[in-house]
Amino acid sequence: MTRSLSPTPRTSITRHRERGSDDRADLFAVLAEALVCHVGIVRDGEPVVLPAIHGVDPDGPDDGGTLYLHGSVAAPWLVQGPGQTVCVTTTLVDGIVVARAAFSHSMNYRSAVVIGPARRVDDPAEREHALRLIVDHVVPGRTETLRANTRKELAATTVIAVSLAEASVKARTGGPADEHSDVATGTWAGVVPLAVTAGEIEPDQDGPVPDDVRRRVAQWGGRQPVG
């Protein structure tokens, strides 16, 4: 697998190219932190964009690594997706940039765009691997505590894979980019940082909160439960 991104005409950044990255590690970092991705696909002849939970294998069988998506076997986008090109995007909002002029207002963010052919995952071992990645993407280490998937559950689930060969990464950091004349007006400007923070855990039953959930809460800066 190549260590750098080689944008194609479909993934080349055309505006603010200085915000782009050609480091594949930055792609995996954005995909790893983002809890939800959005999948653009043609469904029944019409374009749709749908939210999904994903899993990533940097050393997966597809060129550049593999992005996995899953859902119900009855979902039209999963039925029609394999064999066509899809677009998968993720965005992490790190801050609101409050500027002195409306034109200069912005956001600090990290985003990734992946474009590639979707294939249905039929190999049982790869399907099991993909589903583990998707569960552990939300709560790392969770699958180690769970029973195995049943045949009925597997039969009700479709998994598709998308190559990570064709992708781009873009980010904005820093404060407002105001004109000097706007700075001179004395209008307030600044950045409001944003981050995902865990709330108080709501147990479904009595008993200690497992370590995998505790670790995830700690990653999000949430308050650790007592007991």
Side-chain angles (χ1 to χ4, degrees), residues 112-208:
V113 176
V114 177
I115 299 177
R119 65 176 176 86
R120 191 176 69 183
V121 179
D122 292 318
D123 177 74
E126 187 182 2
R127 274 169 51 86
E128 186 68 29
H129 175 61
L131 292 172
R132 289 175 66 90
L133 287 174
I134 292 169
V135 171
D136 286 344
H137 174 74
V138 181
V139 179
R142 187 62 181 164
T143 55
E144 294 296 329
T145 71
L146 305 177
R147 63 164 174 78
N149 293 314
T150 66
R151 289 186 178 183
K152 182 178 180 180
E153 291 168 341
L154 291 173
T157 305
T158 294
V159 177
I160 65 174
V162 182
S163 166
L164 290 170
E166 193 174 357
S168 64
V169 181
K170 191 176 181 182
R172 187 198 189 281
T173 60
D178 283 308
E179 299 291 339
H180 292 302
S181 58
D182 291 323
V183 175
T185 65
T187 302
W188 187 92
V191 175
V192 180
L194 298 176
V196 173
T197 302
E200 186 172 351
I201 294 176
E202 302 174 3
D204 188 56
Q205 62 187 37
D206 292 334

Side-chain angles (χ1 to χ4, degrees), residues 208-209 214 225-227:
V209 176
R214 286 180 175 272
V226 178

Side-chain angles (χ1 to χ4, degrees), residues 12-28:
S12 294
I13 297 172
T14 58
R15 188 171 183 274
H16 287 299
R17 294 181 180 179
E18 74 281 1
R19 296 179 184 174
S21 171
D22 62 1
D23 191 339
R24 187 166 289 275
D26 290 336
L27 169 66
F28 292 130

Side-chain angles (χ1 to χ4, degrees), residues 89-114:
T89 66
T90 58
T91 301
L92 302 166
V93 179
D94 297 320
I96 304 298
V97 181
V98 183
R100 297 170 179 86
F103 184 79
S104 300
H105 279 65
S106 187
M107 291 186 181
N108 286 337
Y109 63 88
R110 288 162 289 151
S111 65
V113 176
V114 177

Side-chain angles (χ1 to χ4, degrees), residues 37-42 48 50-57 60-62 65-88 114 116-123 126-134 154 156-164:
C37 67
H38 286 84
V39 186
I41 196 169
V42 176
V48 296
L50 301 167
I53 302 172
H54 58 282
V56 176
D57 185 349
D62 299 284
T66 304
L67 175 75
Y68 290 109
L69 306 165
H70 82 304
S72 169
V73 292
W77 72 278
L78 287 169
V79 174
Q80 300 175 31
Q84 68 169 272
T85 298
V86 302
C87 179
V88 182
V114 177
R119 65 176 176 86
R120 191 176 69 183
V121 179
D122 292 318
D123 177 74
E126 187 182 2
R127 274 169 51 86
E128 186 68 29
H129 175 61
L131 292 172
R132 289 175 66 90
L133 287 174
I134 292 169
L154 291 173
T157 305
T158 294
V159 177
I160 65 174
V162 182
S163 166
L164 290 170

